[in-house]
Amino acid sequence: MNANHRLPRSNSGFTLTELAVVLVIVALLLGGLLAPLSAQIDVRNTSDTRRALGEIREALLGFAAANGRLPCPAPASTASGANGAGIDPLVGTTLVACPSESGVLPWATLGVAETDAWGHRYTYRVSAAFAQALPSGSKAAFQLSTQGTLDVYSAATGGAVVATGVPAVVVSHGANGFGAFTSDGVQLWVGDSNDEAENQLTGGGFAMANTTFVSRTRTPRFDDEVAWISPGVLFNRMITAGKLP
């Protein structure tokens, strides 16, 4: 056989143009799949956090029924595992008032999760009169006539009143986490939403700019989840527990 007589070689490879077209198609398909998946994860996290807030509300009411007061906020800047992390500062001390009315939820004292579904701590503020140490011989730190100092609105400016005279408020800072504290005791960027700013801690986590909060429908710039203890529900739970009147 003539060595120069060879069978034609078939070209089974792809050109660069064909590869580019395939990559574009794959990217489009993945993008179409990832967007709904991201939305599903956000919906699930929101649902899980709302359920957790319901459990937190019950834990706060249970604490009040057992101890005659609401718990004090835990220090926001204390990292998990450090001394005092997630602990009500009044527990086991001789203090008669909360060192601060603002901080994070005392998760360890209440026996609830430290963070929401996005891994951020819950901001917690309490009206001081509802979190005092019990006077000698008293079953509760407050009376039926005690007024809360916290209010909830539908917007930071010009919003309608949602709740007034509230004893305590708990905030999840949502998926964006703006203003939330992490388990390391570090506050995330506060963002640029006035409505979300109403729900955020100031002063290194020991204060808040005012006594008002915002609870509203979610938007691209607002995704906080806000829960509160209403006076009527708290008083009814205390009466049932024999702490009031």
Side-chain angles (χ1 to χ4, degrees):
M1 178 182 289
N2 187 343
N4 292 326
H5 182 71
R6 301 176 184 273
L7 293 174
R9 181 179 297 176
S10 61
N11 185 1
S12 60
F14 292 98
T15 66
L16 290 177
T17 301
E18 291 172 330
L19 286 174
V21 171
V22 170
L23 290 174
V24 169
I25 293 173
V26 170
L28 291 173
L29 290 174
L30 288 176
L33 291 173
L34 290 176
L37 179 60
S38 176
Q40 290 175 20
I41 292 174
D42 186 55
V43 169
R44 184 186 65 190
N45 286 341
T46 300
S47 177
D48 289 346
T49 296
R50 287 175 178 173
R51 182 168 55 252
L53 285 169
E55 294 171 355
I56 288 168
R57 186 187 291 110
E58 284 302 310
L60 288 169
L61 291 170
F63 182 95
N67 297 279
R69 65 176 180 87
L70 289 170
C72 294
S77 58
T78 302
S80 296
N83 185 37
I87 301 296
D88 173 359
L90 256 62
V91 173
T93 71
T94 58
L95 297 173
V96 297
C98 297
S100 173
E101 298 173 27
S102 305
V104 295
L105 187 75
W107 71 88
T109 297
L110 294 173
V112 297
E114 175 184 359
T115 63
D116 59 20
W118 296 279
H120 310 133
R121 285 177 172 174
Y122 296 96
T123 291
Y124 171 62
R125 179 157 184 174
V126 65
S127 298
F130 289 88
Q132 305 281 348
L134 271 65
S136 178
S138 176
K139 294 182 180 180
F142 51 90
Q143 304 299 320
L144 290 174
S145 59
T146 304
Q147 297 292 314
T149 57
L150 310 176
D151 300 310
V152 183
Y153 291 87
S154 62
T157 303
V161 175
V162 177
T164 186
V166 173
V169 175
V170 183
V171 180
S172 160
H173 295 280
N176 65 34
F178 291 162
F181 274 78
T182 67
S183 294
D184 294 328
V186 177
Q187 190 172 26
L188 301 177
W189 184 56
V190 298
D192 59 0
S193 166
N194 290 334
D195 287 346
E196 288 200 340
E198 289 289 289
N199 300 333
Q200 296 172 9
L201 293 166
T202 59
F206 291 97
M208 300 193 83
N210 47 54
T211 59
T212 57
F213 293 82
V214 171
S215 178
R216 53 170 294 182
T217 303
R218 296 182 67 183
T219 69
R221 297 184 64 219
F222 182 91
D223 64 357
D224 289 359
E225 295 290 336
V226 183
W228 56 90
I229 302 294
S230 67
V233 171
L234 177 60
F235 292 151
N236 285 338
R237 186 65 63 90
M238 297 293 282
I239 291 171
T240 301
K243 301 290 186 179
L244 288 176

